Amino acid sequence: MGRPFKEEIAHLPISIEWASGLDVAALKRAVESAAGHNLLIVGSGGSSTAAAFMATLHERRFGDVSKSLTPLEYTLSAAALKNSFSVMLSAEGKNKDILAAASLLAEEGLKGIALTLTKTNPLATQSACNGSPTTFSFDMPWIKDGYLATNSLIAMMVLIARAYALDDPRLKADLQLLDATWLQQRQRSYAESAIWRQFVANQPVIVLYGEHGKATAIDIESKMAESALAFCQPVDYRQFAHGRHLQLGASGAAPLVLALISPLDATLAEATLGLFPETIVVHKLILPSDPVLAEIVGVIEAILLTDAVAIGRRVDPGRPDVPRFGREIHALDFTNLKEPRTKRVPAILRRKLPWIQRASDIPLSLFQSSRQFIQDLEAAKFKGLVCDFDGTYCDTNRRYEGLDSSLIPHIERLLSAGIVIGFATGRGDSLQTDLREKISERYWPRILIGYYSGSNIQTLDQNFVPPEPDERFAALKQWLRSVGFVTNEKALRANAGQLGLGCESAQIKAHALSAIHHWLGVAQLHGWRAYASGHSIDVITEHAGKVKVVGAVAQLAACDAQLEILRIGDSGQFDGNDFELLNTGFGLSVASTSPLPDVGWNLLPTGKSNSAGTLHYLAALEVDSGSAKFNSGFFKEIQSELDGY
């Protein structure tokens, strides 16, 4: 089933070194985008340990409530997931449970990411097809783990730790200490101790932990149970005090106690252990004081402990004899075994009113409006296309990678048919550079870019000239500093008619947006607006706006701006930076919408979003005589969903 467990253990320092040297900048940005949300981390088997570790780090780093869930727990919590950010953890990205959880995330239109240690796997493929969750994949350069999670688990924990690290150089220095020499010393320590002999009797084991060590306790229970070596009960010191201590005096085999102790909870631990009966065998495992290092070291200790116990049992936990019934249980697809959900509101209608769960609560007028919008869209022919970029032509968590390559053939297909395409973006010349690298030069004159939210509009073949920022932004910038919303000057950027404010979390963004609305009301600046995007706030003057790009495209294409231009964006909600763009004409969203019934619908199939949603729209456009329209298959798919309402 795998390599001998000894070989896997010997490879651990190499795995740590590998994970310590990877570029995690994109993963770190994705983690930061989760700040301000309830974080739900999903993992099974060994990944459940990494999930508990990540939940602890997120709470320490951002102060947001976080918890780890199994895939089944996650899928049973669908109604409570609306305000969450989800993370799917899976080394190989192929077990049915994690795929089911990721499918639910996409179906519900939730925010989230996935982390895998193979670049080609079913989870990454499924997520790319749906557009969610954004998958961060690293190709581990070693043969996969045996039966128990070892190298993949430690590598994943190191990657997660680095994504949250405030002091990366210190973390790297600490990880360098976990080398082959250190590992061999720990192995000798286990070989010389009697701890494995205490497990031979097959007595129950209580694993106690305090402020540090929760992930370690979870992993010890996981490894002992998965290799059938012992029954373990992980519990913190004070929960143990509520009745569980009676096990120490019960008749029969007394439990063995494994006490995880860090400097922060040593006093509590020693006070608790000092009251134990003398007959109770206690093994103390001292953890480092640093919370990140404590869990990584603790999980390595769990691996070494498992090895020590397995030696006593004369078994190899990396290559167990799994009976047929065990393989069959693992292979079950629980999505086919759960009770079916009650009839739900069609996704097309639910996206307009996401807080409504029962079909009976949807206003009949909204259903009628959807029919009318779809009917008008079916008759429409487009000579121009105006789109947002971040979150629409590239996923927000991958915005530094630029235009999604899967969209290029469809963009060039429309351009070659004479369609004019406009990008309404908060970006500057970075978008020009990206598009010039990826789209054939012969199409550049038919591509318009509305830089800085439409405050500077040029064709792609025109060289970008950095505009001067509106001098009136100076007063707003000073006010934002004075009230404490600016702690990093790099997060505040003024260009032409747009002022961008980067925010560390969704919570800060919500407060800052409300504050800016207040300031605009007091300042009485006619025509100024403020909107939110995935990672920032954009304040725009009366001289800017994404709708201005629609007018420019209409002029270049010689067409009607309301009837002959298709608009696509991802933030169509009232405070979203695509609200104005999608609020008139034929506007389609690939993510959020406003509840307004006549405009800005999201007509994507369940589970599609962001750049994958844009791909679905573009692929459904057929061109003829210089115009484009949606094909019949696009509307049949929509009709099949609404017919059930």
Side-chain angles (χ1 to χ4, degrees):
M1 179 170 286
R3 292 180 294 173
F5 202 51
K6 286 287 187 185
E7 289 185 14
E8 295 188 49
I9 292 174
H11 203 282
L12 288 172
I14 300 173
S15 300
I16 293 172
E17 183 180 7
W18 172 76
S20 298
L22 293 172
D23 182 0
V24 296
L27 180 61
K28 181 175 288 191
R29 288 192 294 267
V31 162
E32 290 171 349
S33 73
H37 295 87
N38 298 324
L39 191 71
L40 303 177
I41 311 102
V42 185
S44 55
S47 293
S48 62
T49 299
F53 177 58
M54 187 171 187
T56 300
L57 293 190
H58 195 80
E59 290 185 348
R60 287 180 178 274
R61 173 73 171 83
F62 298 114
D64 301 318
V65 174
S66 309
K67 67 176 181 177
S68 57
L69 297 171
T70 67
L72 181 58
E73 288 174 328
Y74 184 80
T75 58
L76 295 176
S77 305
L81 302 178
K82 296 300 179 185
N83 296 317
S84 65
F85 189 101
S86 304
V87 180
M88 306 286 143
L89 300 180
S90 179
E92 296 182 63
K94 68 179 185 180
N95 76 76
K96 294 179 180 179
D97 294 357
I98 200 70
L99 293 175
S103 291
L104 177 66
L105 182 152
E107 289 170 10
E108 296 292 328
L110 304 172
K111 298 178 180 179
I113 62 172
L115 174 60
T116 71
L117 296 183
T118 56
K119 287 193 174 180
T120 303
N121 59 72
L123 177 57
T125 301
Q126 174 182 292
S127 299
C129 180
N130 291 335
S132 181
T134 303
T135 303
F136 295 90
S137 298
F138 301 90
D139 246 343
M140 55 183 182
W142 60 84
I143 301 172
K144 69 176 184 177
D145 290 335
Y147 185 69
L148 298 179
T150 51
N151 286 279
S152 64
L153 173 56
I154 295 300
M156 186 171 285
M157 291 181 71
V158 171
L159 290 173
I160 291 169
R162 292 184 59 214
Y164 280 95
L166 291 173
D167 186 3
D168 200 48
R170 176 185 169 188
L171 174 62
K172 285 188 176 182
D174 287 340
L175 292 174
Q176 287 174 353
L177 298 176
L178 307 181
D179 57 11
T181 301
W182 174 85
L183 184 65
Q184 290 166 4
Q185 289 174 345
R186 294 304 301 147
Q187 286 179 299
R188 282 196 298 270
S189 176
Y190 278 100
E192 294 168 359
S193 74
I195 183 63
W196 62 267
R197 296 188 184 91
Q198 305 296 338
F199 280 78
V200 172
N202 204 27
Q203 64 192 127
V205 180
I206 297 173
V207 184
L208 295 175
Y209 63 90
E211 184 167 346
H212 298 162
K214 182 176 182 180
T216 300
I218 289 172
D219 200 59
I220 292 172
E221 186 280 330
S222 174
K223 287 190 167 44
M224 291 294 154
E226 288 182 30
S227 48
L229 292 173
F231 173 78
C232 290
Q233 179 186 26
V235 60
D236 70 57
Y237 285 101
R238 291 312 300 158
Q239 183 70 348
F240 175 75
H242 290 265
R244 287 168 175 79
H245 50 69
L246 292 181
Q247 299 173 75
L248 303 182
S251 59
L256 173 73
V257 176
L258 178 58
L260 307 179
I261 304 174
S262 77
L264 292 179
D265 45 51
T267 303
L268 172 62
E270 295 297 346
T272 302
L273 299 175
L275 298 173
F276 280 18
E278 293 181 357
T279 55
I280 299 299
V281 176
V282 177
H283 178 75
K284 298 178 182 179
L285 179 58
I286 308 302
L287 300 176
S289 58
D290 179 82
V292 175
L293 195 63
E295 299 294 7
I296 294 175
V297 168
V299 172
I300 295 175
E301 297 281 4
I303 294 170
L304 299 178
L305 175 64
T306 302
D307 182 49
V309 176
I311 290 173
R313 299 288 180 84
R314 297 183 180 179
V315 296
D316 188 337
R319 300 191 294 183
D321 181 16
V322 181
R324 179 178 176 181
F325 72 82
R327 294 192 297 270
E328 291 176 347
I329 291 173
H330 179 75
L332 286 175
D333 185 351
F334 74 80
T335 58
N336 298 323
L337 302 173
K338 294 190 305 177
E339 288 297 316
R341 291 187 193 177
T342 56
K343 186 176 179 181
R344 302 196 69 202
V345 179
I348 290 172
L349 302 177
R350 193 170 71 246
R351 290 164 182 150
K352 279 288 186 182
L353 304 173
W355 53 87
I356 291 181
Q357 296 296 319
R358 297 181 302 179
S360 59
D361 292 334
I362 294 289
L364 180 60
S365 59
L366 183 64
F367 180 75
Q368 293 169 336
S369 295
S370 71
R371 293 287 190 187
Q372 186 62 55
F373 182 87
I374 293 166
Q375 181 179 325
D376 293 342
L377 185 65
E378 195 167 7
K381 292 185 177 181
F382 305 108
K383 294 184 177 180
L385 180 65
V386 176
C387 304
D388 167 59
F389 192 78
D390 289 306
T392 304
Y393 274 79
C394 71
D395 291 342
T396 301
N397 286 321
R398 295 194 178 281
R399 60 188 180 275
Y400 290 94
E401 298 177 17
L403 177 64
D404 190 313
S405 60
S406 67
L407 298 170
I408 296 173
H410 294 286
I411 294 172
E412 294 194 340
R413 176 174 62 88
L414 293 171
L415 290 167
S416 65
I419 308 300
V420 176
I421 296 181
F423 293 97
T425 178
R427 296 193 185 211
D429 60 336
S430 65
L431 181 56
Q432 179 188 77
T433 301
D434 184 54
L435 294 179
R436 283 185 172 184
E437 289 177 352
K438 296 176 179 177
I439 295 177
S440 175
E441 186 174 358
R442 66 178 180 273
Y443 299 124
W444 293 0
R446 297 191 67 77
I447 298 175
L448 278 167
I449 305 177
Y451 302 102
Y452 305 125
S453 297
S455 56
N456 183 22
I457 302 173
Q458 294 179 314
T459 54
L460 185 56
D461 61 335
Q462 294 177 293
N463 291 326
F464 178 83
V465 178
E468 291 295 322
D470 192 307
E471 60 185 18
R472 294 174 294 174
F473 283 136
L476 176 55
K477 291 167 69 175
Q478 181 58 38
W479 184 79
L480 288 170
R481 295 187 189 98
S482 69
V483 295
F485 282 114
V486 179
T487 57
N488 180 0
E489 284 297 322
K490 292 182 179 179
L492 196 59
R493 307 168 306 278
N495 296 283
Q498 171 188 284
L499 175 69
L501 173 64
C503 301
E504 292 184 2
S505 72
Q507 183 181 39
I508 295 174
K509 183 175 67 176
H511 284 297
L513 186 60
S514 297
I516 290 170
H517 282 310
H518 165 76
W519 186 88
L520 293 178
V522 172
Q524 296 184 341
L525 291 167
H526 179 71
W528 284 42
R529 294 92 76 207
Y531 295 109
S533 66
H535 53 284
S536 65
I537 294 171
D538 294 329
V539 182
I540 55 177
T541 72
E542 72 276 21
H543 302 304
K546 292 187 176 183
V547 175
K548 292 183 179 294
V549 184
V550 176
V553 168
Q555 184 176 1
L556 185 59
C559 67
D560 188 296
Q562 290 295 105
L563 302 177
E564 295 180 294
I565 292 182
L566 177 65
R567 309 148 187 239
I568 302 176
D570 72 308
S571 299
Q573 71 276 18
F574 283 123
D575 65 352
N577 65 354
D578 295 322
F579 172 73
E580 291 182 7
L581 177 65
L582 305 183
N583 192 41
T584 58
F586 290 104
L588 295 177
S589 177
V590 295
S592 303
T593 70
S594 77
L596 298 178
D598 301 322
V599 292
W601 286 81
N602 181 332
L603 302 179
L604 293 172
T606 299
K608 293 281 186 184
S609 64
N610 300 104
S611 61
T614 302
L615 178 62
H616 184 83
Y617 286 143
L618 298 189
L621 288 171
E622 53 187 20
V623 294
D624 181 45
S625 303
S627 64
K629 66 176 300 180
F630 285 104
N631 60 38
S632 59
F634 177 77
F635 294 103
K636 285 180 181 178
E637 198 171 40
I638 295 169
Q639 192 63 47
S640 66
E641 181 172 353
L642 292 178
D643 281 345
Y645 175 70

